[in-house]
Amino acid sequence: MISVEVIINASIEKVWDFWITPKHIQNWNSAFDNWYTSYAENDLQEKGKFRYEMRSKDKDESFDFEGIYTKS
């Protein structure tokens, strides 16, 4: 399980949209300055799939980060 806690000065609707919408995920999903998210998909429902393609800015390396949403 991954748990994240952050205080953001914005409406919950706006934060949720930025958290789940692929075009926004591509803007914030980056662990290092020399990497970016070149592709994102997010089907936020039970058995829905998420997949992000991470790519180095020099385009020498890339990897996919993906999973399936489950109900616990």
Side-chain angles (χ1 to χ4, degrees):
M1 179 197 301
I2 297 173
S3 179
V4 177
E5 185 176 335
V6 177
I7 296 173
I8 300 172
N9 188 18
S11 71
I12 190 68
E13 295 82 11
K14 184 173 185 175
V15 172
W16 188 247
D17 182 52
F18 275 66
W19 187 254
I20 67 168
T21 306
K23 69 179 180 179
H24 296 306
I25 292 168
Q26 288 182 268
N27 289 326
W28 61 257
N29 186 46
S30 176
F32 302 103
D33 288 342
N34 58 338
W35 284 77
Y36 69 103
T37 301
S38 58
Y39 175 82
E41 68 180 70
N42 192 27
D43 182 13
L44 189 59
Q45 62 180 329
E46 187 176 0
K47 298 182 183 176
K49 180 179 178 181
F50 65 89
R51 184 172 81 82
Y52 311 148
E53 181 187 72
M54 304 296 296
R55 184 172 296 278
S56 62
K57 289 185 178 177
D58 62 11
K59 301 191 181 358
D60 284 345
E61 300 176 87
S62 68
F63 66 92
D64 289 344
F65 178 74
E66 60 184 55
I68 296 174
Y69 291 107
T70 59
K71 185 176 183 178
S72 56

PDB file of all heavy atoms in Angstrom, residues 13-41:
ATOM      1  N   GLU A  13     -12.355  19.278  -5.718  1.00  0.00           N
ATOM      2  CA  GLU A  13     -12.682  18.942  -7.106  1.00  0.00           C
ATOM      3  C   GLU A  13     -11.502  19.214  -8.038  1.00  0.00           C
ATOM      4  O   GLU A  13     -11.189  18.402  -8.907  1.00  0.00           O
ATOM      5  CB  GLU A  13     -13.921  19.725  -7.582  1.00  0.00           C
ATOM      6  CG  GLU A  13     -15.204  19.371  -6.865  1.00  0.00           C
ATOM      7  CD  GLU A  13     -15.378  20.085  -5.519  1.00  0.00           C
ATOM      8  OE1 GLU A  13     -14.621  21.027  -5.203  1.00  0.00           O
ATOM      9  OE2 GLU A  13     -16.284  19.660  -4.777  1.00  0.00           O
ATOM     10  N   LYS A  14     -10.852  20.334  -7.847  1.00  0.00           N
ATOM     11  CA  LYS A  14      -9.701  20.681  -8.689  1.00  0.00           C
ATOM     12  C   LYS A  14      -8.531  19.739  -8.424  1.00  0.00           C
ATOM     13  O   LYS A  14      -7.891  19.237  -9.357  1.00  0.00           O
ATOM     14  CB  LYS A  14      -9.268  22.124  -8.450  1.00  0.00           C
ATOM     15  CG  LYS A  14      -8.157  22.578  -9.358  1.00  0.00           C
ATOM     16  CD  LYS A  14      -7.874  24.057  -9.207  1.00  0.00           C
ATOM     17  CE  LYS A  14      -6.841  24.504 -10.215  1.00  0.00           C
ATOM     18  NZ  LYS A  14      -6.619  25.947 -10.183  1.00  0.00           N
ATOM     19  N   VAL A  15      -8.253  19.469  -7.154  1.00  0.00           N
ATOM     20  CA  VAL A  15      -7.160  18.568  -6.801  1.00  0.00           C
ATOM     21  C   VAL A  15      -7.420  17.179  -7.375  1.00  0.00           C
ATOM     22  O   VAL A  15      -6.535  16.556  -7.954  1.00  0.00           O
ATOM     23  CB  VAL A  15      -6.973  18.507  -5.272  1.00  0.00           C
ATOM     24  CG1 VAL A  15      -5.978  17.436  -4.887  1.00  0.00           C
ATOM     25  CG2 VAL A  15      -6.532  19.869  -4.736  1.00  0.00           C
ATOM     26  N   TRP A  16      -8.649  16.676  -7.216  1.00  0.00           N
ATOM     27  CA  TRP A  16      -8.995  15.345  -7.726  1.00  0.00           C
ATOM     28  C   TRP A  16      -8.813  15.277  -9.239  1.00  0.00           C
ATOM     29  O   TRP A  16      -8.263  14.315  -9.768  1.00  0.00           O
ATOM     30  CB  TRP A  16     -10.425  14.986  -7.323  1.00  0.00           C
ATOM     31  CG  TRP A  16     -10.799  13.581  -7.642  1.00  0.00           C
ATOM     32  CD1 TRP A  16     -11.723  13.177  -8.558  1.00  0.00           C
ATOM     33  CD2 TRP A  16     -10.258  12.387  -7.076  1.00  0.00           C
ATOM     34  NE1 TRP A  16     -11.797  11.805  -8.590  1.00  0.00           N
ATOM     35  CE2 TRP A  16     -10.900  11.294  -7.685  1.00  0.00           C
ATOM     36  CE3 TRP A  16      -9.286  12.138  -6.115  1.00  0.00           C
ATOM     37  CZ2 TRP A  16     -10.612   9.967  -7.362  1.00  0.00           C
ATOM     38  CZ3 TRP A  16      -9.005  10.816  -5.790  1.00  0.00           C
ATOM     39  CH2 TRP A  16      -9.664   9.763  -6.404  1.00  0.00           C
ATOM     40  N   ASP A  17      -9.250  16.301  -9.951  1.00  0.00           N
ATOM     41  CA  ASP A  17      -9.090  16.342 -11.412  1.00  0.00           C
ATOM     42  C   ASP A  17      -7.616  16.271 -11.804  1.00  0.00           C
ATOM     43  O   ASP A  17      -7.232  15.517 -12.688  1.00  0.00           O
ATOM     44  CB  ASP A  17      -9.731  17.610 -11.969  1.00  0.00           C
ATOM     45  CG  ASP A  17      -9.641  17.690 -13.481  1.00  0.00           C
ATOM     46  OD1 ASP A  17     -10.048  16.717 -14.163  1.00  0.00           O
ATOM     47  OD2 ASP A  17      -9.159  18.719 -13.991  1.00  0.00           O
ATOM     48  N   PHE A  18      -6.779  17.035 -11.116  1.00  0.00           N
ATOM     49  CA  PHE A  18      -5.349  17.028 -11.424  1.00  0.00           C
ATOM     50  C   PHE A  18      -4.696  15.696 -11.054  1.00  0.00           C
ATOM     51  O   PHE A  18      -3.731  15.286 -11.681  1.00  0.00           O
ATOM     52  CB  PHE A  18      -4.632  18.183 -10.708  1.00  0.00           C
ATOM     53  CG  PHE A  18      -4.689  19.479 -11.481  1.00  0.00           C
ATOM     54  CD1 PHE A  18      -5.893  20.133 -11.689  1.00  0.00           C
ATOM     55  CD2 PHE A  18      -3.545  20.033 -12.011  1.00  0.00           C
ATOM     56  CE1 PHE A  18      -5.954  21.314 -12.411  1.00  0.00           C
ATOM     57  CE2 PHE A  18      -3.588  21.216 -12.742  1.00  0.00           C
ATOM     58  CZ  PHE A  18      -4.800  21.856 -12.937  1.00  0.00           C
ATOM     59  N   TRP A  19      -5.230  15.011 -10.044  1.00  0.00           N
ATOM     60  CA  TRP A  19      -4.651  13.747  -9.579  1.00  0.00           C
ATOM     61  C   TRP A  19      -4.976  12.592 -10.515  1.00  0.00           C
ATOM     62  O   TRP A  19      -4.186  11.676 -10.684  1.00  0.00           O
ATOM     63  CB  TRP A  19      -5.164  13.451  -8.169  1.00  0.00           C
ATOM     64  CG  TRP A  19      -4.523  12.270  -7.524  1.00  0.00           C
ATOM     65  CD1 TRP A  19      -5.087  11.039  -7.337  1.00  0.00           C
ATOM     66  CD2 TRP A  19      -3.199  12.178  -6.999  1.00  0.00           C
ATOM     67  NE1 TRP A  19      -4.201  10.198  -6.723  1.00  0.00           N
ATOM     68  CE2 TRP A  19      -3.028  10.878  -6.502  1.00  0.00           C
ATOM     69  CE3 TRP A  19      -2.143  13.079  -6.893  1.00  0.00           C
ATOM     70  CZ2 TRP A  19      -1.849  10.447  -5.913  1.00  0.00           C
ATOM     71  CZ3 TRP A  19      -0.968  12.646  -6.310  1.00  0.00           C
ATOM     72  CH2 TRP A  19      -0.831  11.360  -5.824  1.00  0.00           C
ATOM     73  N   ILE A  20      -6.155  12.608 -11.186  1.00  0.00           N
ATOM     74  CA  ILE A  20      -6.608  11.436 -11.945  1.00  0.00           C
ATOM     75  C   ILE A  20      -6.614  11.602 -13.463  1.00  0.00           C
ATOM     76  O   ILE A  20      -6.702  10.615 -14.183  1.00  0.00           O
ATOM     77  CB  ILE A  20      -8.015  10.976 -11.492  1.00  0.00           C
ATOM     78  CG1 ILE A  20      -9.071  12.017 -11.855  1.00  0.00           C
ATOM     79  CG2 ILE A  20      -8.024  10.654 -10.022  1.00  0.00           C
ATOM     80  CD1 ILE A  20     -10.497  11.528 -11.707  1.00  0.00           C
ATOM     81  N   THR A  21      -6.536  12.823 -13.971  1.00  0.00           N
ATOM     82  CA  THR A  21      -6.645  13.063 -15.415  1.00  0.00           C
ATOM     83  C   THR A  21      -5.273  12.900 -16.085  1.00  0.00           C
ATOM     84  O   THR A  21      -4.310  13.559 -15.687  1.00  0.00           O
ATOM     85  CB  THR A  21      -7.204  14.475 -15.681  1.00  0.00           C
ATOM     86  OG1 THR A  21      -8.435  14.611 -14.961  1.00  0.00           O
ATOM     87  CG2 THR A  21      -7.442  14.708 -17.153  1.00  0.00           C
ATOM     88  N   PRO A  22      -5.191  12.017 -17.104  1.00  0.00           N
ATOM     89  CA  PRO A  22      -3.893  11.736 -17.740  1.00  0.00           C
ATOM     90  C   PRO A  22      -3.092  12.966 -18.163  1.00  0.00           C
ATOM     91  O   PRO A  22      -1.888  13.018 -17.937  1.00  0.00           O
ATOM     92  CB  PRO A  22      -4.269  10.866 -18.932  1.00  0.00           C
ATOM     93  CG  PRO A  22      -5.468  10.113 -18.442  1.00  0.00           C
ATOM     94  CD  PRO A  22      -6.246  11.138 -17.637  1.00  0.00           C
ATOM     95  N   LYS A  23      -3.745  13.981 -18.760  1.00  0.00           N
ATOM     96  CA  LYS A  23      -2.972  15.157 -19.205  1.00  0.00           C
ATOM     97  C   LYS A  23      -2.333  15.882 -18.027  1.00  0.00           C
ATOM     98  O   LYS A  23      -1.257  16.455 -18.152  1.00  0.00           O
ATOM     99  CB  LYS A  23      -3.844  16.112 -20.031  1.00  0.00           C
ATOM    100  CG  LYS A  23      -4.906  16.828 -19.247  1.00  0.00           C
ATOM    101  CD  LYS A  23      -5.711  17.770 -20.123  1.00  0.00           C
ATOM    102  CE  LYS A  23      -6.771  18.484 -19.298  1.00  0.00           C
ATOM    103  NZ  LYS A  23      -7.553  19.403 -20.097  1.00  0.00           N
ATOM    104  N   HIS A  24      -2.973  15.860 -16.868  1.00  0.00           N
ATOM    105  CA  HIS A  24      -2.389  16.476 -15.680  1.00  0.00           C
ATOM    106  C   HIS A  24      -1.335  15.571 -15.049  1.00  0.00           C
ATOM    107  O   HIS A  24      -0.312  16.059 -14.564  1.00  0.00           O
ATOM    108  CB  HIS A  24      -3.470  16.820 -14.666  1.00  0.00           C
ATOM    109  CG  HIS A  24      -4.439  17.849 -15.141  1.00  0.00           C
ATOM    110  ND1 HIS A  24      -4.051  19.081 -15.624  1.00  0.00           N
ATOM    111  CD2 HIS A  24      -5.786  17.829 -15.220  1.00  0.00           C
ATOM    112  CE1 HIS A  24      -5.109  19.775 -15.981  1.00  0.00           C
ATOM    113  NE2 HIS A  24      -6.178  19.029 -15.741  1.00  0.00           N
ATOM    114  N   ILE A  25      -1.586  14.266 -15.051  1.00  0.00           N
ATOM    115  CA  ILE A  25      -0.607  13.316 -14.511  1.00  0.00           C
ATOM    116  C   ILE A  25       0.729  13.499 -15.219  1.00  0.00           C
ATOM    117  O   ILE A  25       1.790  13.464 -14.598  1.00  0.00           O
ATOM    118  CB  ILE A  25      -1.119  11.865 -14.656  1.00  0.00           C
ATOM    119  CG1 ILE A  25      -2.335  11.645 -13.741  1.00  0.00           C
ATOM    120  CG2 ILE A  25      -0.010  10.862 -14.348  1.00  0.00           C
ATOM    121  CD1 ILE A  25      -3.094  10.359 -14.012  1.00  0.00           C
ATOM    122  N   GLN A  26       0.684  13.728 -16.522  1.00  0.00           N
ATOM    123  CA  GLN A  26       1.928  13.928 -17.284  1.00  0.00           C
ATOM    124  C   GLN A  26       2.690  15.161 -16.814  1.00  0.00           C
ATOM    125  O   GLN A  26       3.907  15.223 -16.970  1.00  0.00           O
ATOM    126  CB  GLN A  26       1.607  14.045 -18.769  1.00  0.00           C
ATOM    127  CG  GLN A  26       1.207  12.720 -19.374  1.00  0.00           C
ATOM    128  CD  GLN A  26       0.931  12.843 -20.856  1.00  0.00           C
ATOM    129  OE1 GLN A  26      -0.189  13.075 -21.254  1.00  0.00           O
ATOM    130  NE2 GLN A  26       1.973  12.695 -21.645  1.00  0.00           N
ATOM    131  N   ASN A  27       2.007  16.120 -16.218  1.00  0.00           N
ATOM    132  CA  ASN A  27       2.672  17.339 -15.745  1.00  0.00           C
ATOM    133  C   ASN A  27       3.323  17.186 -14.378  1.00  0.00           C
ATOM    134  O   ASN A  27       4.309  17.852 -14.089  1.00  0.00           O
ATOM    135  CB  ASN A  27       1.677  18.507 -15.705  1.00  0.00           C
ATOM    136  CG  ASN A  27       1.295  18.966 -17.088  1.00  0.00           C
ATOM    137  OD1 ASN A  27       2.098  18.930 -18.003  1.00  0.00           O
ATOM    138  ND2 ASN A  27       0.059  19.378 -17.248  1.00  0.00           N
ATOM    139  N   TRP A  28       2.774  16.349 -13.505  1.00  0.00           N
ATOM    140  CA  TRP A  28       3.319  16.261 -12.147  1.00  0.00           C
ATOM    141  C   TRP A  28       4.048  14.960 -11.841  1.00  0.00           C
ATOM    142  O   TRP A  28       4.783  14.893 -10.863  1.00  0.00           O
ATOM    143  CB  TRP A  28       2.230  16.496 -11.097  1.00  0.00           C
ATOM    144  CG  TRP A  28       1.090  15.519 -11.100  1.00  0.00           C
ATOM    145  CD1 TRP A  28      -0.158  15.740 -11.603  1.00  0.00           C
ATOM    146  CD2 TRP A  28       1.067  14.188 -10.568  1.00  0.00           C
ATOM    147  NE1 TRP A  28      -0.947  14.628 -11.422  1.00  0.00           N
ATOM    148  CE2 TRP A  28      -0.217  13.657 -10.787  1.00  0.00           C
ATOM    149  CE3 TRP A  28       2.011  13.384  -9.926  1.00  0.00           C
ATOM    150  CZ2 TRP A  28      -0.580  12.377 -10.395  1.00  0.00           C
ATOM    151  CZ3 TRP A  28       1.648  12.102  -9.541  1.00  0.00           C
ATOM    152  CH2 TRP A  28       0.366  11.614  -9.764  1.00  0.00           C
ATOM    153  N   ASN A  29       3.865  13.931 -12.644  1.00  0.00           N
ATOM    154  CA  ASN A  29       4.442  12.620 -12.337  1.00  0.00           C
ATOM    155  C   ASN A  29       5.890  12.536 -12.810  1.00  0.00           C
ATOM    156  O   ASN A  29       6.172  12.146 -13.934  1.00  0.00           O
ATOM    157  CB  ASN A  29       3.599  11.517 -12.987  1.00  0.00           C
ATOM    158  CG  ASN A  29       4.049  10.145 -12.579  1.00  0.00           C
ATOM    159  OD1 ASN A  29       4.289   9.894 -11.414  1.00  0.00           O
ATOM    160  ND2 ASN A  29       4.160   9.251 -13.536  1.00  0.00           N
ATOM    161  N   SER A  30       6.806  12.910 -11.942  1.00  0.00           N
ATOM    162  CA  SER A  30       8.224  12.876 -12.279  1.00  0.00           C
ATOM    163  C   SER A  30       9.044  12.777 -10.999  1.00  0.00           C
ATOM    164  O   SER A  30       8.852  13.573 -10.080  1.00  0.00           O
ATOM    165  CB  SER A  30       8.616  14.136 -13.036  1.00  0.00           C
ATOM    166  OG  SER A  30       9.994  14.159 -13.279  1.00  0.00           O
ATOM    167  N   ALA A  31       9.918  11.793 -10.940  1.00  0.00           N
ATOM    168  CA  ALA A  31      10.756  11.617  -9.747  1.00  0.00           C
ATOM    169  C   ALA A  31      12.027  12.465  -9.814  1.00  0.00           C
ATOM    170  O   ALA A  31      12.581  12.840  -8.785  1.00  0.00           O
ATOM    171  CB  ALA A  31      11.124  10.147  -9.587  1.00  0.00           C
ATOM    172  N   PHE A  32      12.504  12.723 -11.022  1.00  0.00           N
ATOM    173  CA  PHE A  32      13.752  13.464 -11.217  1.00  0.00           C
ATOM    174  C   PHE A  32      13.576  14.490 -12.327  1.00  0.00           C
ATOM    175  O   PHE A  32      12.756  14.301 -13.229  1.00  0.00           O
ATOM    176  CB  PHE A  32      14.898  12.512 -11.596  1.00  0.00           C
ATOM    177  CG  PHE A  32      15.138  11.439 -10.573  1.00  0.00           C
ATOM    178  CD1 PHE A  32      14.688  10.144 -10.785  1.00  0.00           C
ATOM    179  CD2 PHE A  32      15.811  11.720  -9.397  1.00  0.00           C
ATOM    180  CE1 PHE A  32      14.898   9.153  -9.843  1.00  0.00           C
ATOM    181  CE2 PHE A  32      16.030  10.737  -8.449  1.00  0.00           C
ATOM    182  CZ  PHE A  32      15.570   9.448  -8.668  1.00  0.00           C
ATOM    183  N   ASP A  33      14.360  15.557 -12.297  1.00  0.00           N
ATOM    184  CA  ASP A  33      14.254  16.616 -13.306  1.00  0.00           C
ATOM    185  C   ASP A  33      14.576  16.140 -14.714  1.00  0.00           C
ATOM    186  O   ASP A  33      14.105  16.716 -15.688  1.00  0.00           O
ATOM    187  CB  ASP A  33      15.174  17.787 -12.956  1.00  0.00           C
ATOM    188  CG  ASP A  33      14.671  18.576 -11.763  1.00  0.00           C
ATOM    189  OD1 ASP A  33      13.468  18.454 -11.425  1.00  0.00           O
ATOM    190  OD2 ASP A  33      15.472  19.303 -11.156  1.00  0.00           O
ATOM    191  N   ASN A  34      15.379  15.091 -14.836  1.00  0.00           N
ATOM    192  CA  ASN A  34      15.778  14.637 -16.169  1.00  0.00           C
ATOM    193  C   ASN A  34      14.874  13.520 -16.706  1.00  0.00           C
ATOM    194  O   ASN A  34      15.202  12.875 -17.693  1.00  0.00           O
ATOM    195  CB  ASN A  34      17.250  14.202 -16.172  1.00  0.00           C
ATOM    196  CG  ASN A  34      17.543  13.099 -15.179  1.00  0.00           C
ATOM    197  OD1 ASN A  34      16.806  12.912 -14.217  1.00  0.00           O
ATOM    198  ND2 ASN A  34      18.623  12.381 -15.389  1.00  0.00           N
ATOM    199  N   TRP A  35      13.717  13.315 -16.077  1.00  0.00           N
ATOM    200  CA  TRP A  35      12.719  12.348 -16.536  1.00  0.00           C
ATOM    201  C   TRP A  35      11.366  13.043 -16.680  1.00  0.00           C
ATOM    202  O   TRP A  35      11.117  14.069 -16.054  1.00  0.00           O
ATOM    203  CB  TRP A  35      12.579  11.200 -15.537  1.00  0.00           C
ATOM    204  CG  TRP A  35      13.704  10.221 -15.603  1.00  0.00           C
ATOM    205  CD1 TRP A  35      14.959  10.386 -15.083  1.00  0.00           C
ATOM    206  CD2 TRP A  35      13.697   8.952 -16.238  1.00  0.00           C
ATOM    207  NE1 TRP A  35      15.725   9.284 -15.347  1.00  0.00           N
ATOM    208  CE2 TRP A  35      14.967   8.382 -16.050  1.00  0.00           C
ATOM    209  CE3 TRP A  35      12.737   8.226 -16.928  1.00  0.00           C
ATOM    210  CZ2 TRP A  35      15.307   7.131 -16.545  1.00  0.00           C
ATOM    211  CZ3 TRP A  35      13.074   6.975 -17.412  1.00  0.00           C
ATOM    212  CH2 TRP A  35      14.340   6.438 -17.222  1.00  0.00           C
ATOM    213  N   TYR A  36      10.494  12.475 -17.496  1.00  0.00           N
ATOM    214  CA  TYR A  36       9.142  13.006 -17.641  1.00  0.00           C
ATOM    215  C   TYR A  36       8.198  11.850 -17.966  1.00  0.00           C
ATOM    216  O   TYR A  36       8.628  10.751 -18.309  1.00  0.00           O
ATOM    217  CB  TYR A  36       9.085  14.090 -18.725  1.00  0.00           C
ATOM    218  CG  TYR A  36       9.289  13.596 -20.140  1.00  0.00           C
ATOM    219  CD1 TYR A  36       8.210  13.454 -21.001  1.00  0.00           C
ATOM    220  CD2 TYR A  36      10.559  13.285 -20.621  1.00  0.00           C
ATOM    221  CE1 TYR A  36       8.395  12.996 -22.311  1.00  0.00           C
ATOM    222  CE2 TYR A  36      10.750  12.838 -21.913  1.00  0.00           C
ATOM    223  CZ  TYR A  36       9.665  12.700 -22.756  1.00  0.00           C
ATOM    224  OH  TYR A  36       9.853  12.250 -24.037  1.00  0.00           O
ATOM    225  N   THR A  37       6.915  12.102 -17.851  1.00  0.00           N
ATOM    226  CA  THR A  37       5.900  11.107 -18.195  1.00  0.00           C
ATOM    227  C   THR A  37       5.452  11.389 -19.619  1.00  0.00           C
ATOM    228  O   THR A  37       4.782  12.382 -19.884  1.00  0.00           O
ATOM    229  CB  THR A  37       4.706  11.178 -17.216  1.00  0.00           C
ATOM    230  OG1 THR A  37       5.203  10.943 -15.906  1.00  0.00           O
ATOM    231  CG2 THR A  37       3.653  10.157 -17.559  1.00  0.00           C
ATOM    232  N   SER A  38       5.835  10.527 -20.542  1.00  0.00           N
ATOM    233  CA  SER A  38       5.526  10.745 -21.954  1.00  0.00           C
ATOM    234  C   SER A  38       4.131  10.261 -22.328  1.00  0.00           C
ATOM    235  O   SER A  38       3.573  10.675 -23.340  1.00  0.00           O
ATOM    236  CB  SER A  38       6.570  10.050 -22.833  1.00  0.00           C
ATOM    237  OG  SER A  38       6.613   8.666 -22.533  1.00  0.00           O
ATOM    238  N   TYR A  39       3.544   9.395 -21.487  1.00  0.00           N
ATOM    239  CA  TYR A  39       2.201   8.866 -21.766  1.00  0.00           C
ATOM    240  C   TYR A  39       1.548   8.504 -20.443  1.00  0.00           C
ATOM    241  O   TYR A  39       2.215   8.008 -19.535  1.00  0.00           O
ATOM    242  CB  TYR A  39       2.294   7.617 -22.649  1.00  0.00           C
ATOM    243  CG  TYR A  39       0.960   6.947 -22.880  1.00  0.00           C
ATOM    244  CD1 TYR A  39       0.100   7.421 -23.855  1.00  0.00           C
ATOM    245  CD2 TYR A  39       0.556   5.861 -22.115  1.00  0.00           C
ATOM    246  CE1 TYR A  39      -1.140   6.822 -24.065  1.00  0.00           C
ATOM    247  CE2 TYR A  39      -0.673   5.260 -22.315  1.00  0.00           C
ATOM    248  CZ  TYR A  39      -1.511   5.748 -23.298  1.00  0.00           C
ATOM    249  OH  TYR A  39      -2.733   5.163 -23.505  1.00  0.00           O
ATOM    250  N   ALA A  40       0.249   8.751 -20.335  1.00  0.00           N
ATOM    251  CA  ALA A  40      -0.493   8.349 -19.142  1.00  0.00           C
ATOM    252  C   ALA A  40      -1.901   7.930 -19.535  1.00  0.00           C
ATOM    253  O   ALA A  40      -2.531   8.562 -20.393  1.00  0.00           O
ATOM    254  CB  ALA A  40      -0.562   9.496 -18.141  1.00  0.00           C
ATOM    255  N   GLU A  41      -2.356   6.849 -18.942  1.00  0.00           N
ATOM    256  CA  GLU A  41      -3.761   6.463 -19.040  1.00  0.00           C
ATOM    257  C   GLU A  41      -4.211   6.096 -17.637  1.00  0.00           C
ATOM    258  O   GLU A  41      -3.420   5.643 -16.816  1.00  0.00           O
ATOM    259  CB  GLU A  41      -3.985   5.317 -20.014  1.00  0.00           C
ATOM    260  CG  GLU A  41      -3.423   3.989 -19.597  1.00  0.00           C
ATOM    261  CD  GLU A  41      -3.670   2.873 -20.601  1.00  0.00           C
ATOM    262  OE1 GLU A  41      -3.043   2.935 -21.678  1.00  0.00           O
ATOM    263  OE2 GLU A  41      -4.454   1.968 -20.304  1.00  0.00           O
TER     264      GLU A  41
END
